Amino acid sequence: MRAVCWHGKHDVRVDNVPDPRLLNPRDAIIQVTSTAICGSDLHLYDAVIPGLQKGDILGHEFMGRVVEVGPQSNLRLGARVVVPFTISCGQCFFCQGLQFSACENSNPVENQEVSEKMFGKPLSGYFGYSHLTGGYSGGQAEYVRVPFSDVGPVEVPDGVSDEEVLFLSDILPTGWMAAENASIQAGDVVAVWGCGPVGLFAVQSALLMGAAEVIAIDHHPHRLTLAAGLGASTINFDEGDVLEAVADLTGGLGADAVIDAVGMEAHGFVVDNALDHAKQKFLPAMDRAHALRMAIMAVRKGGRVSVPGVYGGFADKFPLGAIMEKGLQLTSAQTHVQAYIRPLLKKVLAREIDTTFLISHRLPLDQAPRAYKNFRDNQNEWTKVVLKP
Amino acid sequence: MTITPETAAVLADTSPTLNQKEPEAPFRHVEESLRPSPQDPHYKGFTFGTAAVTIMSPMERIWALLKDPKSQALVLGPRVSLKDLGASRFNWTLTTKRRQISVETELFQLEIPDQPQMDGSRRALMLWENLALSSTELEIKLQLRPSTHAGAVVAEALVAYRYSFGRMAARLATLQGADPVAECRMALKRLRMLAETGEIAISHPQPEGTAAKYEVA
């Protein structure tokens, strides 16, 4: 089969590789019909996430048809399914508490040592996201093996297009959970850093949850236009002081809740970000937390900070004092997709949420190297890429 | 400035129960029987380590898995092979990049009749001890006990080992990845996987790009 493989920094290729096969009783094999490049895939493309090996198959946003099942899978052959990016057993202490992305049993024991040393506890298994998260092959391929297929994949009806439900695999639940973690109350003003796909879905979710106003912050005009189309006020951080602008829009109080949908590769031209760039280039596992720092400064006293943006290691100049002195609540997590995917599918089917507005490019799988390059370098125009194997 | 009725009610509340929680069930520590102590005749020269996992599965199921040779082989993982010598005796071989370490053990099951019961379930201890002629002195005590979390069982192990060439050899073995404590920790995680999900998570062999070093049938 053909698959998008990582070969080094800014080097992805479409290789011919052996087909996957069932390895465990609860496995299934999915023939991928649509897959997307996620903003967090760019962290792999930029080689700032450790634990990748040459030849690893990328991709954690995908859907397709079930073509093979293990004896303990409950999937129906031929069923059309969306697959969560988190691999979860459904039975461990964390899965039973609906914290699926903290699953204890999905990352093979042999792959747990590094993340256990880095974070104190091992990470769970994710598709196509380095050997820190299990070394599982990803879904930017013609076929993919899905472990614990009785827990993750959700069947979708034939009357709905791939593009309407594909993002249930990651970015829609991630944006939704980011807004939920911000504990939005009616009348709140919510500021969202980053108008990438997760940021845009966070904007949409915050408005659905009753926010009186959502402020979207980015520097790509087209992405800001998409946010404005959802009903957000916008701030272009190239055109002025963001903290002052947020203060003005909130009557000097600060935002009730802030959402950092940027993560470890924040851009900006302030001194702290320039230093972060230098450190990330030479030191492993260093995060550029410029957006998060600004969000913490912009939130009101007693406010909430929600972090769906991916961070992989350590951040310098982190304003811990502001969290304590302002009495902030900070919440973050890899998305517990399995907890959100069914309720969000209902909202998509009821046309309460539109997921297709952010797709800018639809390309065959063979165009993946070009798609990665442009998704990274031309972010204004390339807002979301869907690949067709 | 005016104080709202809600704020006034909070300020007037002198209830002594404010912010007080119901007392939780007492935390249960590792049994004394598992702890090394200077009084232990094997204390000197031994390296000790502990490992524990919480398993969401009935104690009886975990116990049955521990006693089943097929499950034991799965739990020990690819680096440790287990040969059943009969009469509760086993030969363990740990394969590292540079060498193999072999040790023969005998399995004991010890009942702990006097311990208080949290949920009425049977409490017991498994003990693997090396046989006299093994090159490595090894003792693994494994205890199952109810967790403070409902429906959960804690499996905790104490590993004590001493190589015939002394502590330096033990340090060297640890550096080479032949550390019995680390292997025990990994085995307990596999035990949890098997008890909770019925399978051991694996991601290889699977397809990869041009760097793939194996064939997939």
Side-chain angles (χ1 to χ4, degrees):
Chain A
M1 69 169 184
R2 290 169 307 134
V4 179
C5 299
W6 185 89
H7 286 275
K9 185 176 180 180
H10 301 159
D11 182 7
V12 298
R13 305 172 198 167
V14 179
D15 289 335
N16 282 311
V17 302
D19 287 351
R21 60 187 168 100
L22 302 173
L23 298 178
N24 267 334
R26 294 166 66 182
D27 289 356
I29 304 293
I30 308 292
Q31 182 181 21
V32 178
T33 53
S34 291
T35 177
I37 302 176
C38 181
S40 58
D41 285 329
L42 294 182
H43 303 319
L44 305 175
Y45 188 66
D46 289 338
V48 294
I49 296 271
L52 275 167
Q53 294 176 10
K54 288 186 177 180
D56 283 350
I57 298 174
L58 301 177
H60 57 268
E61 295 178 7
F62 61 93
M63 63 177 295
R65 285 202 181 273
V66 180
V67 293
E68 200 176 348
V69 292
Q72 290 176 26
S73 170
N74 62 359
L75 291 179
R76 181 173 60 82
L77 280 175
R80 195 162 160 252
V81 292
V82 180
V83 183
F85 79 91
T86 44
I87 304 171
S88 308
C89 75
Q91 283 136 324
C92 68
F93 177 83
F94 296 100
C95 286
Q96 290 196 16
L98 305 183
Q99 294 175 303
F100 292 98
S101 71
C103 176
E104 290 271 64
N105 294 323
S106 56
N107 191 346
V109 169
E110 297 75 21
N111 288 335
Q112 294 186 6
E113 188 181 356
V114 175
S115 63
E116 195 161 7
K117 288 234 164 46
M118 282 179 75
F119 306 124
K121 299 290 174 195
L123 296 175
S124 306
Y126 312 144
F127 289 100
Y129 213 75
S130 90
H131 289 253
L132 289 184
T133 60
Y136 288 99
S137 287
Q140 288 167 8
E142 290 180 302
Y143 296 92
V144 61
R145 168 188 167 236
V146 177
F148 301 125
S149 64
D150 53 332
V151 175
V154 168
E155 192 167 341
V156 293
D158 280 336
V160 60
S161 73
D162 275 16
E163 291 177 2
E164 287 173 284
V165 291
L166 171 62
F167 302 142
L168 288 165
S169 57
D170 177 359
I171 53 175
L172 178 56
T174 299
W176 185 271
M177 194 176 98
E180 195 174 270
N181 280 347
S183 303
I184 293 166
Q185 311 289 315
D188 275 356
V189 178
V190 181
V192 179
W193 267 257
C195 292
V198 168
L200 289 168
F201 281 140
V203 167
Q204 199 174 20
S205 304
L207 289 167
L208 281 170
M209 290 178 193
E213 185 172 4
V214 175
I215 305 167
I217 301 151
D218 205 302
H219 69 153
H220 295 298
H222 177 58
R223 293 186 174 207
L224 287 169
T225 303
L226 290 175
L230 295 170
S233 308
T234 59
I235 296 174
N236 185 328
F237 67 74
D238 283 345
E239 295 174 356
D241 187 308
V242 174
L243 295 181
E244 279 184 15
V246 172
D248 289 346
L249 287 167
T250 57
L253 274 180
D256 298 292
V258 291
I259 296 173
D260 167 15
V262 177
M264 65 193 295
E265 292 191 87
H267 294 283
F269 303 99
V270 188
V271 175
D272 68 332
N273 197 244
L275 286 171
D276 285 348
H277 265 278
K279 273 185 280 192
Q280 196 174 61
K281 193 170 179 65
F282 296 108
L283 297 171
M286 287 302 294
D287 295 325
R288 291 172 3 217
H290 180 65
L292 181 55
R293 288 188 202 109
M294 291 194 76
I296 290 170
M297 301 310 281
V299 72
R300 72 163 165 82
K301 288 182 275 189
R304 288 92 61 190
V305 182
S306 167
V307 187
V310 172
Y311 289 91
F314 306 92
D316 208 357
K317 301 175 294 301
F318 189 74
L320 196 56
I323 294 177
M324 191 275 164
E325 300 293 353
K326 288 167 71 176
L328 306 182
Q329 295 175 44
L330 191 148
T331 48
S332 183
Q334 289 283 1
T335 309
H336 308 303
V337 180
Q338 287 85 344
Y340 294 95
I341 191 167
R342 286 178 176 83
L344 286 174
L345 174 62
K346 283 183 188 169
K347 287 190 179 296
V348 169
L349 294 177
R351 308 287 185 229
E352 291 175 38
I353 294 179
D354 171 32
T355 66
T356 59
F357 72 95
L358 53 79
I359 300 171
S360 60
H361 293 79
R362 299 160 177 87
L363 298 170
L365 189 73
D366 291 336
Q367 295 285 314
R370 177 176 155 246
Y372 266 89
K373 185 175 188 329
N374 281 292
F375 190 43
R376 178 185 183 276
D377 296 339
N378 301 313
Q379 293 192 356
N380 188 45
E381 296 81 16
W382 290 64
T383 50
K384 190 69 181 176
V385 184
V386 174
L387 299 170
K388 295 283 186 181
Chain B
M1 192 178 106
T2 56
I3 294 177
T4 63
E6 291 79 13
T7 308
V10 171
L11 291 173
D13 185 2
T14 54
S15 165
T17 59
L18 194 66
N19 287 335
Q20 285 184 1
K21 294 179 180 174
E22 289 294 315
E24 294 176 355
F27 181 77
R28 298 183 65 79
H29 294 282
V30 176
E31 294 299 333
E32 287 301 316
S33 60
L34 288 181
R35 291 176 179 276
S37 74
Q39 285 75 41
D40 189 322
H42 299 293
Y43 178 71
K44 287 186 178 176
F46 273 77
T47 301
F48 289 93
T50 56
V53 292
T54 296
I55 304 175
M56 304 297 287
S57 186
M59 197 177 286
E60 287 68 26
R61 173 170 164 74
I62 303 168
W63 195 250
L65 288 172
L66 281 168
K67 289 195 285 191
D68 172 33
K70 281 184 182 174
S71 300
Q72 282 183 23
L74 287 171
V75 164
L76 289 169
R79 291 187 353 141
V80 181
S81 60
L82 191 69
K83 189 175 176 186
D84 189 348
L85 303 175
S88 299
R89 294 184 169 203
F90 297 91
N91 179 280
W92 309 49
T93 304
L94 171 62
T95 306
T96 70
K97 285 179 183 173
R98 296 191 180 176
R99 62 176 178 155
Q100 287 190 330
I101 298 168
S102 211
V103 58
E104 287 187 10
T105 67
E106 185 162 6
L107 172 65
F108 300 91
Q109 294 174 26
L110 309 175
E111 297 287 339
I112 312 177
D114 298 332
Q115 296 294 324
Q117 309 289 303
M118 284 185 78
D119 64 352
S121 58
R122 185 164 60 96
R123 296 166 60 78
L125 192 71
M126 291 185 98
L127 171 67
W128 288 268
E129 264 189 348
N130 65 285
L131 301 181
L133 295 177
S134 294
S135 62
T136 304
E137 291 179 78
L138 174 72
E139 187 175 277
I140 303 172
K141 293 175 182 172
L142 179 69
Q143 180 188 239
L144 304 180
R145 63 174 171 83
S147 163
T148 53
H149 297 287
V153 169
V154 173
E156 55 195 7
L158 173 74
V159 184
Y161 63 100
R162 181 168 67 180
Y163 290 114
S164 52
F165 297 105
R167 276 178 182 265
M168 190 57 77
R171 293 272 170 87
L172 200 60
T174 302
L175 288 173
Q176 289 179 352
D179 176 355
V181 180
E183 290 296 334
C184 185
R185 193 167 289 127
M186 292 166 81
L188 284 179
K189 288 178 178 177
R190 289 194 199 91
L191 172 66
R192 181 184 60 210
M193 287 177 176
L194 199 59
E196 290 180 344
T197 74
E199 58 187 49
I200 308 283
I202 45 174
S203 57
H204 283 83
Q206 64 179 355
E208 283 181 12
T210 53
K213 294 183 176 62
Y214 49 77
E215 296 294 324
V216 176

